[in-house]
Amino acid sequence: MRIGLLGTGNVAQALAHGWSAAGHDVLLGSRQPKDRTDLGLPVAGLSETAAHAEALVNATPGAVSVELLRSIGAPALAGTLLIDIGVGLSDDFSELSHPNSSLGEQIQEAFPLTPVVKTLCTMDSTVMTAPDGLDGPSTVFLSGDDAEAKRATGRLLTDLGWPPSSQLDIGGITTARGQEHFALLFMGIAGGLGVHTFNINVVARRSA
């Protein structure tokens, strides 16, 4: 699959390496691609990356994601699966940029012809591509209004090492709020543990 990743930070690089190892054709998108030739991964401009992609991943800072996507344009994004991983946080990581909504919802509202799926935003980039490196199974969430888009995203998650048993579809794009708002608890847990390499696992009650 042709996967375009908007962003060139740790998250975008980790996912690009993970999907490339699984056989996908990856391309990183940057506002200044000529300055990002040292990554060992192919890099292009934002519009070129969007045109390349069958699935587009938003791995940009959440406070600027909608503006950045608008610079590419709704026609260029129409019909393309958009996997949103961004979370909008203040510079000191103490407040959310979308306290009464979510970035996922705002992207879906701004681009109604683009199916948006929220996932992978409840963990560090080191866990996104190596869930088997943890001491036990854990959960990755999916939020979105388009069932086929979520199925396609689920297949891509499987390619990163997330078995279907670890994937939890929690509903429409409005449920992205819960995923994004977990960022504040993530910071607290990281402070308590002294590390960022962890994840949560949803454990249901045993059936009778």
Side-chain angles (χ1 to χ4, degrees):
M1 194 173 192
R2 298 190 309 276
I3 303 174
L5 299 104
L6 302 177
T8 57
N10 291 337
V11 170
Q13 290 183 54
L15 291 173
H17 281 296
W19 278 317
S20 179
H24 295 285
D25 177 3
V26 301
L27 181 64
L28 295 177
S30 171
R31 286 176 172 170
Q32 298 175 316
K34 293 181 179 179
D35 295 334
R36 305 297 287 162
T37 59
D38 58 336
L39 302 179
L41 291 161
V43 183
L46 300 177
S47 294
E48 183 180 345
T49 301
H52 167 86
E54 295 173 280
L56 193 62
V57 180
N58 174 45
T60 64
V64 300
S65 294
V66 173
E67 176 188 353
L68 182 145
L69 289 166
R70 282 187 172 134
S71 74
I72 298 171
L77 301 176
T80 300
L81 165 62
L82 196 154
I83 301 172
D84 175 37
I85 298 172
V87 176
L89 288 166
S90 59
D91 291 341
D92 62 359
F93 302 108
S94 65
E95 296 182 3
L96 293 163
S97 301
H98 312 94
N100 299 310
S101 180
S102 68
L103 174 61
E105 288 174 271
Q106 293 197 3
I107 293 174
Q108 187 61 89
E109 182 179 2
F111 303 93
L113 299 181
T114 300
V116 178
V117 179
K118 190 82 186 188
T119 192
L120 288 172
C121 70
T122 55
M123 65 195 74
D124 184 72
S125 61
T126 55
V127 177
M128 292 177 187
T129 58
D132 57 353
L134 301 176
D135 286 339
S138 61
T139 304
V140 61
F141 304 98
L142 297 97
S143 302
D145 296 334
D146 187 294
E148 178 51 39
K150 283 193 280 191
R151 283 191 290 269
T153 301
R155 292 190 291 270
L156 291 175
L157 290 174
T158 300
D159 289 341
L160 292 175
W162 296 94
S165 59
S166 292
Q167 301 176 26
L168 184 58
D169 182 346
I170 59 174
I173 196 61
T174 57
T175 65
R177 297 182 192 190
Q179 293 197 56
E180 294 184 26
H181 288 206
F182 177 74
L184 300 179
L185 181 55
F186 179 94
M187 298 296 178
I189 295 172
L193 292 177
V195 297
H196 290 84
T197 307
F198 64 89
N199 195 26
I200 58 173
N201 189 31
V202 175
V203 181
R205 183 177 180 178
R206 286 196 185 98
S207 58

